[in-house]
Amino acid sequence: MQNPFYDKDIKAAIEVMKKGGVILYPTDTVWGIGCDATNPEAVEKVFKIKHREDSKALICLVDSEARLQRYVRDVPNVAWDIIELATKPVTVILDGAVNLAHNLMAEDGSVALRVTREPFSNQLCYRFQKPIVSTSANISGEPPASNFKDIAPDLLEAVDYVCTSRRQEKKPHTPSSIVRLRQNGEVEVIRR
């Protein structure tokens, strides 16, 4: 890892999330606002920070396919193919979410999950041992923060911890593709 404070950064972010706090962190796509995806109070803080209606579901990151299975009743087989074959980060929306904050899921009980392969966010999820909310670091309706330098000062002040890793990056990052998968095998591409 390029950041010599990598482990310290991950430990600090985890401590904040364990206490119900909100973090800003680099992901496999854009910078994200995150929290413990199983803590409804923390999820509510994220909605307030983003000035976003809590009727909109939030994306969560996990470190592995095995972890993803703990939060969805029945993962359709096509999900594994999409996750394995994707050439860029892909978020899958799956029915039957379980063991997550109620206000994180869509009204129909579905959840948006992504297995992150990027080293920092993957290790953060792995060490936290739970899904982490990953919504773009912006006020709802504004452009997502591709790099740390793009994050609005009021967002930096609104969270409980700002990760130090990957702050120097200045390269284009884009949001993930989003694919809705239904139990009947129906696949709908929501964002390419």
Side-chain angles (χ1 to χ4, degrees):
M1 293 301 142
Q2 53 282 51
N3 183 340
F5 302 106
Y6 178 76
D7 286 335
K8 185 178 174 187
D9 198 18
I10 287 177
K11 286 176 185 169
I14 287 171
E15 284 309 307
V16 166
M17 289 190 293
K18 281 182 178 176
K19 294 175 184 167
V22 176
I23 65 169
L24 268 173
Y25 69 112
T27 75
D28 54 340
T29 60
V30 296
W31 270 71
I33 299 173
C35 70
D36 177 351
T38 67
N39 181 331
E41 292 81 19
V43 170
E44 183 59 35
K45 289 180 193 176
V46 171
F47 283 121
K48 284 189 171 107
I49 289 169
K50 282 189 66 88
H51 304 276
R52 184 171 167 174
E53 298 171 35
D54 63 6
S55 62
K56 293 188 173 185
L58 296 172
I59 292 172
C60 298
L61 293 185
V62 291
D63 64 303
S64 66
E65 289 83 352
R67 183 111 37 228
L68 183 143
Q69 284 187 288
R70 296 178 192 174
Y71 297 95
V72 177
R73 274 192 197 93
D74 187 26
V75 180
N77 287 333
V78 68
W80 306 124
D81 294 334
I82 290 170
I83 292 167
E84 182 183 332
L85 300 172
T87 56
K88 70 177 246 182
V90 64
T91 300
V92 290
I93 300 175
L94 302 167
D95 293 326
V98 292
N99 306 318
L100 292 166
H102 64 88
N103 53 346
L104 173 84
M105 299 177 264
E107 289 177 6
D108 65 3
S110 64
V111 64
L113 291 163
R114 184 167 73 248
V115 177
T116 177
R117 310 273 187 229
E118 182 274 327
F120 182 84
S121 55
N122 179 274
Q123 276 301 298
L124 185 64
C125 291
Y126 174 73
R127 294 187 198 181
F128 191 55
Q129 298 283 299
K130 294 188 220 176
I132 298 173
V133 166
S134 179
T135 183
S136 55
N138 61 331
I139 301 299
S140 200
E142 293 180 5
S146 185
N147 293 289
F148 178 76
K149 67 177 180 52
D150 304 322
I151 300 171
D154 55 334
L155 276 184
L156 295 170
E157 293 173 18
V159 299
D160 302 300
Y161 182 74
V162 180
C163 290
T164 58
S165 297
R166 293 182 43 209
R167 284 190 184 185
Q168 305 311 313
E169 277 186 5
K170 291 178 177 71
K171 61 183 184 179
H173 295 279
T174 55
S176 68
S177 297
I178 300 178
V179 180
R180 176 75 164 97
L181 306 176
R182 302 220 182 258
Q183 287 299 331
N184 65 6
E186 185 183 318
V187 177
E188 177 189 359
V189 177
I190 294 175
R191 181 170 70 198
R192 289 198 184 278

